[in-house]
Amino acid sequence: MDRWQALPLWDDPVQDAVPSAAPVSADAAPIAPAAPDRRWCDTVGVFDLETTGVDVTVDRIVTAHVGVLGPGGEPLSARSWLADPGIEIPEGATAVHSITTAHARAHGRPAVDVVAEVVAALRELFAAGIPIVAYNAPYDFSLLKYEALRHGIEPIIDPAPVIDPLVLDKAHDRYRKGKRTLEVVAAHYAVTLTGAHDAAADAIAAGRVAQALAERFGLDAPAHELHTQQIGWARAQAESLTEYFIRIGRLDPSDALDGSWPIR
């Protein structure tokens, strides 16, 4: 974890390990822009966070991963971070991702540096026209936004184009019963997920699920068009879930789930 692996997308030689303390050089070759005639699923960015909790406004990043997958889910580039979040990591969060407060303090980098580098890595992919896959995108992008604001970093407030396999799966296989966690959905689309709740493993699996969805349902529209469609689908899904929760008494009739997507 917490290393940059520069692969051919950046026209750099493959490096087995680069010390995590070294940021990406400003002189490094930029990511090649996406070819205008390619399908969005041929090259996708992937993004995932593991955190101290589930409240995007107050919880903090513990680990992060940003990478790029090529056709068939082949990893083309990858960068992972371990942060010292600056607060205690609750036992419940540690039970999910296995990172303790002591480990993060001993081996993690300052949160401000990690947040800045994650934001920069995502901006670089967006600037190259590469869509970024994030499973349940509003969680990761919203938490990153609040972390950036906390540390005085210009946040990404309108990420696009984003591909969210959770939204796509619900939209195209609406009546399938069962949970829609990444582990369950990955298994449904025959995507291997080894080491769930590791940011790198989850990000890569989500990217491969997105590619599988594209093949299964013929999602050939340009990424920006699909991004716009997901805004409407996410809103409709939140409205439907709100109605269900009110019906079973889990929500007050005056309440509603937030269907904003891909960031809140």
Side-chain angles (χ1 to χ4, degrees), residues 12-218:
D12 289 332
V14 174
Q15 301 174 34
D16 291 330
V18 176
S20 62
V24 179
S25 170
D27 299 325
I31 295 175
D37 58 344
R38 69 160 174 83
R39 300 185 306 162
W40 67 262
C41 57
D42 288 340
T43 305
V44 296
V46 295
F47 169 47
D48 187 73
L49 301 175
E50 296 297 327
T51 64
T52 61
V54 297
D55 186 335
V56 299
T57 64
V58 300
D59 280 305
R60 312 294 176 89
I61 294 170
V62 177
T63 62
H65 182 85
V66 177
V68 179
L69 305 182
E74 175 191 4
L76 300 179
S77 67
R79 190 174 187 184
S80 290
W81 295 261
L82 170 63
D84 175 358
I87 63 173
E88 293 285 329
I89 301 174
E91 290 183 2
T94 296
V96 172
H97 52 60
S98 302
I99 307 298
T100 64
T101 300
H103 182 83
R105 287 177 177 170
H107 304 286
R109 295 177 54 218
V112 62
D113 295 340
V114 170
V115 173
E117 290 175 15
V118 172
V119 168
L122 293 172
R123 288 191 189 280
E124 190 176 4
L125 293 179
F126 284 134
I130 295 174
I132 295 177
V133 175
Y135 199 88
N136 191 19
Y139 176 77
D140 296 277
F141 280 106
S142 297
L143 194 143
L144 180 64
K145 177 187 75 174
Y146 285 106
E147 277 276 59
L149 292 170
R150 185 174 295 117
H151 293 290
I153 298 162
E154 183 179 357
I156 298 173
I157 59 173
D158 188 20
V162 172
I163 305 295
D164 189 337
L166 178 59
V167 172
L168 294 181
D169 181 52
K170 287 182 176 180
H172 290 85
D173 200 354
R174 180 177 178 183
Y175 298 106
R176 189 177 79 248
K177 294 181 179 180
K179 295 181 179 180
R180 304 272 181 154
T181 63
L182 176 57
E183 290 177 85
V184 170
V185 174
H188 179 74
Y189 291 102
V191 171
T192 300
L193 172 53
T194 302
H197 302 297
D198 171 86
D202 285 0
I204 292 169
R208 290 172 176 168
V209 169
Q211 292 175 319
L213 281 158
E215 295 299 328
R216 175 80 61 91
F217 298 107

